[in-house]
Amino acid sequence: MLPDKKGHFGIFGGKYVIETLMPALDELEKAYHEAKGDRAFHRELHRYLSEYAGRPTPLYFAKRLTEKLGGARIYLKREDLCHTGAHKINNTLGQLLLTKRMGKKRVIAETGAGQHGVATATAAALFGIECEIFMGEEDIERQALNVFRMKLLGAKVTPVSSGTKTLKDAMNEALRNWITTVRNTHYVVGSTAGPHPYPMMVRDFQSVIGHETKLQIIAREGRLPDYLVACVGGGSNAMGLFHSFYNDRDVKFIGVEAAGYGLNTDHHGASLARGKLGVLHGSMSYVLQDEDGQIKPAHSISAGLDYPGVGPEHGYYKSTKRAKYVSATDKEALNAFELLSKTEGIIPALESAHAIAYTSKIAKKLKKDKIIVVSLSGRGDKDVNQVAKMIGVKL
Amino acid sequence: MGRIEDRFNELKKRNEKALIAFISAGDPDIETTKDLVLEMDKRGADIIELGVPFSDPLADGPTIQKSYLRALKKRVSLKKILKMVKELRHKTQIPIVLMSSYNPVYRYGENKFVRDAVSAGVDGVIIPDMPPEESGYLWARSYRKWLNTIFLLAPTSNDERIKLICKMSRGFIYYVSVTGITGERKLLSKDIEGMIKKIRQSTDLPLAVGFGISTPQQAKEIASCADGIIVGSAIVRIIEKHALSKNGLIGDVGDFIKSLKNAIRHE
């Protein structure tokens, strides 16, 4: 079972952080292992997931979309129906319960699209814990609604003006803040990225997605799906969906990265397709970087995929060919955003629209008896303003 | 014996403490960095620590972040920095230590880095985001080639980690004086002396204290309990002030180095 004791998935992962944080990571790892073996912790988490976050989320057969594409049967795992509108709450509830267990009084988090920020602020409000969210200035502009939601939830939102002013820089600043406040603060990393134990822990908390999917698809179709499709920025919703199927070798995993303006431009977020091995934010994985190892800025229409790194376990899946990683451009994502809205009455998050975009490409080429499950990781309300602006509609 | 060990031994004989001066390599440009190294050597610095610019330095505050960005605009790279050290070695034998984030070193190739650093005349390397747990490959190669791998200890380090780092570190141990990132601070933590005493029980290596020291007065206080002090952001700030014109830069940095060294000379 990966990762190994030091947090490595093959050559990926690890703990590349300054000494100041090492004891906190050790403490977190220990607390997490204890919680993992504690039934009371699981019961409590389960209670919050079902009574508060609204789990299990439905596995919905997208009949009209399936008919329109004329190929494989498409199911949507409706993480958009979770409380706060995305899968992020699965992880923040787990980590906030852990924060309480460790006796820490404050949490911090980075956010790109604002979904993880909102989910952290929500769980912090639920447990009465002080919360500060770091968010790039450019994302604050793109996601004004989520900024206001976080503030309503009692969180302090700190704008980050360094670097590209997006998710990468928000994570830099959150880590710097953690180096200073580590004695009383827990850092709620929002993706399967960062130093060990985060990639493992976030994966475990998100695995509820795949676990439910497995039971639901068997109940519905009497068999496992042929394909699982999910968007990959840092990679938490994808890993959450994939992980429970790891040993089911006939189930193919497809991760969809952001191709931005196109993979052959310098404006995309496809770390797995175009990155090289390196260390960003505490772990070894694929990173968009230049010859000298300087991190290159990423680009995506969706703030949540606008990240030059990717979780280490995805790096491992790529190198062992357990998963296939593809990409969808900004334009394809926008088309998918409209397609799903019009055919199913579901407005997807721009992140999830990348998964829909690739699904619509392959579904039509597949036979009608094939099954695809797509992770609809979040709802698109947060993106409506941005999309209107992009297609030239004044609200 | 290496230059770092020699330097600490000489200082010990003279009952002096080491002044370790940090600047970002290539800020404002490589030629000026060379002049700054020679000036700091002349004015009393004992060891030079050269920062390798990185786009996303996690342990650094705004002052050093900005100086790295200035250097990166000039397209400074690890390769150019090693070439610069090689050229400096014709003029000075002051111990030189590189401080780099892990990624530029990894991208350069760890094996090649150790080989090229040693042949350029680099004496040690500090990689803040490479704890002993992740250092196996680089450590083994450095050990064989006599490149000192210097590890950090922090106020949060527990007994177990103190033992581990004392065992792995070479040249000296870098004690991070604050729970935080680099940058000048008005007040330094009060428990530095206690931690230094505790670390001493596990090692005979020299202990240098850095992060936050910015005035001669602070230098003097810290030097009373350590073997060396590291000053970075305060020097980089002088360079930043001269960002538009280099007039007077070298002299100002030299004067500041002299004031720091005078403050710790007779401790």
Side-chain angles (χ1 to χ4, degrees):
Chain A
M1 185 72 173
L2 289 172
D4 67 17
K5 273 192 179 153
K6 285 181 171 179
H8 293 108
F9 304 87
I11 60 165
F12 301 93
K15 282 183 189 174
Y16 294 86
V17 296
I18 186 165
E19 173 62 23
T20 319
L21 293 181
M22 289 297 283
L25 292 175
D26 291 346
E27 179 199 357
L28 176 61
E29 197 180 340
K30 198 164 155 256
Y32 176 61
H33 272 295
E34 279 168 14
K36 215 173 159 180
D38 178 0
R39 282 207 183 148
F41 179 84
H42 286 283
R43 262 202 307 275
E44 198 177 5
L45 177 58
H46 187 263
R47 188 167 67 82
Y48 280 110
L49 285 174
S50 66
E51 293 172 13
Y52 184 78
R55 300 208 74 91
T57 58
L59 181 71
Y60 165 72
F61 174 55
K63 185 163 174 277
R64 293 234 311 141
L65 183 67
T66 299
E67 281 167 2
K68 181 159 183 148
L69 296 168
R73 295 165 66 77
I74 300 168
Y75 283 85
L76 304 176
K77 179 60 175 164
R78 298 289 310 274
E79 292 302 298
D80 60 319
L81 294 178
C82 281
H83 178 44
T84 74
H87 70 293
K88 296 290 185 188
I89 193 85
N90 304 330
N91 170 43
T92 59
L93 284 172
Q95 287 203 42
L96 262 292
L97 279 174
L98 208 55
T99 306
K100 253 184 29 176
R101 219 180 147 92
M102 290 188 292
K104 296 208 168 179
K105 304 282 181 232
R106 175 176 173 265
V107 293
I108 53 171
E110 84 292 344
T111 196
Q115 293 303 94
H116 175 56
V118 168
T120 304
T122 299
L126 175 64
F127 297 118
I129 285 174
E130 189 189 332
C131 176
E132 181 171 353
I133 306 292
F134 294 86
M135 189 168 185
E137 276 179 351
E138 184 175 327
D139 291 337
I140 286 185
E141 198 172 306
R142 284 196 275 193
Q143 302 287 350
L145 186 66
N146 271 343
V147 175
F148 186 58
R149 287 168 82 196
M150 287 184 264
K151 287 181 181 165
L152 277 177
L153 292 160
K156 180 179 168 199
V157 180
T158 301
V160 175
S161 61
S162 57
T164 50
K165 304 179 174 62
T166 58
L167 180 54
K168 167 191 79 124
D169 306 282
M171 196 150 175
N172 285 347
E173 226 33 61
L175 277 162
R176 287 182 190 126
N177 183 281
W178 200 33
I179 293 172
T180 310
T181 59
V182 62
R183 289 180 198 267
N184 69 357
T185 298
H186 171 65
Y187 179 14
V188 185
V189 173
S191 195
T192 47
H196 180 66
Y198 285 105
M200 167 185 80
M201 185 173 73
V202 177
R203 172 198 75 195
D204 292 352
F205 286 139
Q206 291 294 1
S207 287
V208 65
I209 303 173
H211 184 70
E212 286 174 8
T213 300
K214 206 170 195 175
L215 299 175
Q216 289 166 323
I217 197 75
I218 288 173
R220 182 73 196 251
E221 292 274 356
R223 69 175 183 94
L224 295 178
D226 299 289
Y227 296 90
L228 299 176
V229 183
C231 65
V232 177
S236 71
N237 90 89
M239 197 47 71
L241 177 65
F242 296 167
H243 191 250
S244 304
F245 294 87
Y246 185 78
N247 291 320
D248 303 309
R249 295 289 160 152
D250 293 335
V251 180
K252 296 181 183 69
F253 300 167
I254 299 178
V256 187
E257 293 190 289
Y261 297 162
L263 287 188
N264 295 324
T265 68
D266 257 343
H267 303 275
H268 59 74
S271 324
L272 287 157
R274 287 289 186 269
K276 295 193 186 86
L277 278 180
V279 167
L280 175 67
H281 297 145
S283 59
M284 172 79 66
S285 190
Y286 290 96
V287 180
L288 296 177
Q289 54 184 314
D290 68 15
E291 306 274 284
D292 298 326
Q294 307 296 341
I295 309 305
K296 278 203 215 167
H299 162 83
S300 171
I301 187 176
S302 78
L305 304 184
D306 194 346
Y307 182 61
V310 64
E313 199 163 8
H314 284 292
Y316 178 74
Y317 277 15
K318 177 188 155 93
S319 74
T320 56
K321 299 195 164 67
R322 178 63 187 92
K324 185 175 148 191
Y325 294 92
V326 298
S327 60
T329 62
D330 285 356
K331 206 164 160 248
E332 290 167 331
L334 264 180
N335 290 340
F337 184 85
E338 281 190 54
L339 174 71
L340 196 70
S341 301
K342 285 182 178 139
T343 52
E344 294 290 350
I346 298 171
I347 302 175
L350 279 174
E351 290 78 15
S352 323
H354 286 73
I356 301 291
Y358 191 77
T359 300
S360 58
K361 255 190 211 171
I362 57 164
K364 49 183 111 166
K365 292 183 202 152
L366 293 170
K367 288 196 181 127
K368 288 187 177 175
D369 62 348
K370 297 286 181 194
I371 301 170
I372 303 176
V373 174
V374 188
S375 169
L376 197 68
S377 55
R379 67 175 185 224
D381 307 43
K382 69 181 174 66
D383 298 314
V384 168
N385 272 319
Q386 191 197 349
V387 170
K389 214 167 159 187
M390 295 197 72
I391 59 177
V393 174
K394 217 171 176 192
L395 296 178
Chain B
M1 278 204 295
R3 276 181 283 251
I4 294 176
E5 205 180 338
D6 288 347
R7 180 56 54 103
F8 275 108
N9 286 339
E10 287 160 26
L11 288 167
K12 204 170 186 180
K13 272 184 216 150
R14 297 208 300 266
N15 202 18
E16 268 184 46
K17 303 300 171 76
L19 171 60
I20 304 174
F22 171 98
I23 55 173
S24 304
D27 172 30
D29 53 59
I30 288 275
E31 281 310 310
T32 310
T33 299
K34 274 196 214 166
D35 294 341
L36 284 168
V37 169
L38 296 174
E39 174 75 6
M40 293 195 294
D41 180 15
K42 208 167 77 191
R43 304 295 293 273
D46 297 298
I47 296 176
I48 301 291
E49 190 184 326
L50 290 174
V52 176
F54 183 50
S55 53
D56 298 78
L58 291 179
D60 286 305
T63 305
I64 292 178
Q65 285 175 45
K66 279 188 270 173
S67 91
Y68 280 169
L69 291 181
R70 287 194 297 273
L72 287 174
K73 266 193 192 145
K74 295 276 169 70
R75 310 198 65 84
V76 169
S77 62
L78 193 47
K79 195 174 155 193
K80 288 180 189 166
I81 294 167
L82 291 175
K83 185 169 164 259
M84 175 188 75
V85 173
K86 198 166 203 162
E87 288 160 12
L88 273 170
R89 278 290 171 239
H90 297 303
K91 294 183 177 166
T92 176
Q93 291 308 310
I94 191 167
I96 294 177
V97 170
L98 294 187
M99 184 171 206
S100 176
S101 290
Y102 184 66
N103 201 52
V105 172
Y106 181 77
R107 199 67 251 149
Y108 190 91
E110 289 169 281
N111 204 14
K112 186 166 170 262
F113 168 74
V114 171
R115 205 183 57 209
D116 294 355
V118 169
S119 89
V122 171
D123 301 293
V125 55
I126 305 169
I127 303 181
D129 60 346
M130 181 189 76
E133 284 87 339
E134 304 290 353
S135 73
Y137 189 86
L138 187 78
W139 191 92
R141 269 143 200 85
S142 305
Y143 187 74
R144 258 181 255 147
K145 299 263 187 190
W146 297 94
L147 180 68
N148 292 287
T149 41
I150 296 146
F151 287 100
L152 273 52
L153 274 169
T156 50
S157 305
N158 52 32
D159 294 354
E160 203 182 320
R161 298 200 59 82
I162 290 175
K163 282 206 185 87
L164 172 70
I165 283 152
C166 286
K167 210 171 78 189
M168 301 278 286
S169 204
R170 294 278 179 274
F172 63 92
I173 286 168
Y174 191 134
Y175 179 67
V176 174
S177 62
V178 293
T179 307
I181 54 179
T182 62
E184 299 150 79
R185 283 171 179 76
K186 285 208 179 80
L187 285 174
L188 292 174
S189 161
K190 289 203 179 73
D191 53 8
I192 295 175
E193 197 174 347
M195 267 304 265
I196 293 285
K197 277 187 184 148
K198 198 165 163 187
I199 299 166
R200 283 229 196 273
Q201 291 168 0
S202 299
T203 184
D204 294 326
L205 281 175
L207 302 179
V209 178
F211 279 40
I213 304 173
S214 56
T215 65
Q217 181 55 33
Q218 287 173 329
K220 189 178 166 140
E221 274 167 40
I222 303 294
S224 66
C225 65
D227 301 304
I229 56 144
I230 304 159
V231 179
S233 295
I235 304 173
V236 173
R237 282 261 290 173
I238 301 175
I239 299 172
E240 183 183 85
K241 277 185 200 146
H242 288 81
L244 293 175
S245 156
K246 282 187 268 179
N247 271 345
L249 166 63
I250 306 289
D252 284 0
V253 169
D255 290 347
F256 183 55
I257 293 292
K258 191 181 170 200
S259 70
L260 290 169
K261 185 63 188 183
N262 279 342
I264 65 171
R265 201 177 290 272
H266 299 292
E267 275 306 323

